[in-house]
Amino acid sequence: MKKFLFTFLGSIVFIGSIFAQNSGTEYRDWEKWLDYINIIRTVNLYEYSTLYITKVDDSKITYPDKNDNRYPALVKTMALFNIVIEKKIQKEFSHIKIVQIENAKDLTLDTKSLLLEPEMTELDMGSQALRFWIGFGAGAQRMVVSGKVSDSQGECFHFRHKRISSKSGGYEGTMIIEMNNFGADIAKIFKKMYKK
């Protein structure tokens, strides 16, 4: 009976430790800057040689009608987003080889490889006219980008960050500015985590 009890309790502790390890630690306003991050394991990008980046998942956002002048701006800038992320990370970590892939379905990571899966989870392109004529935040553009980073052992962390832009420029220009900011944000996560 004692042996059974100890085995049972040991199993609970073991399962509990796995759950705690996988659930990670959540932070809001991480480093007084990032909206949300859940860290399971910190990542030192200098310990890796290759970073795979999947195509930004845009399945959760609704594209405007094709006859809407916001549509071509969104299509064009979304096509550039992966390259922007790559350039911002490469600027901070010149040693890393970045490989762009469509998805991670058939990808097997080795011990020197990382996977970044970015996602555009919310997008409101706002109104260019309201931004120009009224200002004070009227017609502001709102974007939320999320992402998950994994290595050969599994998920390391995932994050979410929101940006609001009330710049009076056109749709394409405003989108490009914020995508550059988001790319820099993702690079900054790796940079700040390395300094921990």
Side-chain angles (χ1 to χ4, degrees), residues 169-192:
Y171 292 116
E172 185 180 323
T174 306
M175 287 283 293
I176 287 174
I177 288 170
E178 290 311 324
M179 285 185 174
N180 270 283
N181 287 335
F182 273 122
D185 289 338
I186 293 170
K188 191 175 177 181
I189 293 172
F190 286 112
K191 194 173 180 181
K192 285 189 171 290

Side-chain angles (χ1 to χ4, degrees), residues 94-162:
S94 58
H95 77 284
I96 198 86
K97 177 185 176 184
I98 296 179
V99 180
Q100 300 277 359
I101 57 175
E102 190 70 21
N103 59 63
K105 186 176 65 171
D106 300 317
L107 181 66
T108 301
L109 296 171
D110 61 34
T111 55
K112 292 291 185 179
S113 298
L114 270 181
L115 170 66
L116 167 62
E117 298 173 273
E119 181 180 12
M120 179 79 73
T121 50
E122 293 178 35
L123 174 64
D124 177 359
M125 295 179 75
S127 168
Q128 180 181 338
L130 289 177
R131 291 197 295 266
F132 181 79
W133 291 108
I134 299 175
F136 304 105
Q141 174 183 270
R142 292 170 174 80
M143 300 167 66
V144 178
V145 167
S146 302
K148 182 172 79 169
V149 172
S150 309
D151 64 11
S152 59
Q153 299 177 59
E155 183 180 342
C156 301
F157 64 87
H158 58 269
F159 63 90
R160 182 177 64 250
H161 196 51
K162 181 176 186 176

Side-chain angles (χ1 to χ4, degrees), residues 50-97:
T50 306
L51 173 65
Y52 293 92
I53 307 178
T54 59
K55 183 181 177 184
V56 176
D57 182 356
D58 62 352
S59 61
K60 289 183 181 174
I61 64 172
T62 302
Y63 276 69
D65 292 334
K66 289 187 177 180
N67 59 356
D68 188 319
N69 62 352
R70 293 174 298 176
Y71 179 82
L74 180 55
V75 170
K76 186 174 181 180
T77 52
M78 283 301 297
L80 296 172
F81 200 6
N82 273 76
I83 301 303
V84 169
I85 295 170
E86 176 178 339
K87 285 182 177 179
K88 295 297 182 180
I89 293 174
Q90 201 85 71
K91 184 179 177 182
E92 297 292 342
F93 300 92
S94 58
H95 77 284
I96 198 86
K97 177 185 176 184

Side-chain angles (χ1 to χ4, degrees), residues 37-51:
I37 190 168
N38 185 314
I39 301 174
I40 298 163
R41 284 176 290 113
T42 57
V43 168
N44 178 354
L45 204 55
Y46 286 108
E47 294 177 352
Y48 298 87
S49 58
T50 306
L51 173 65

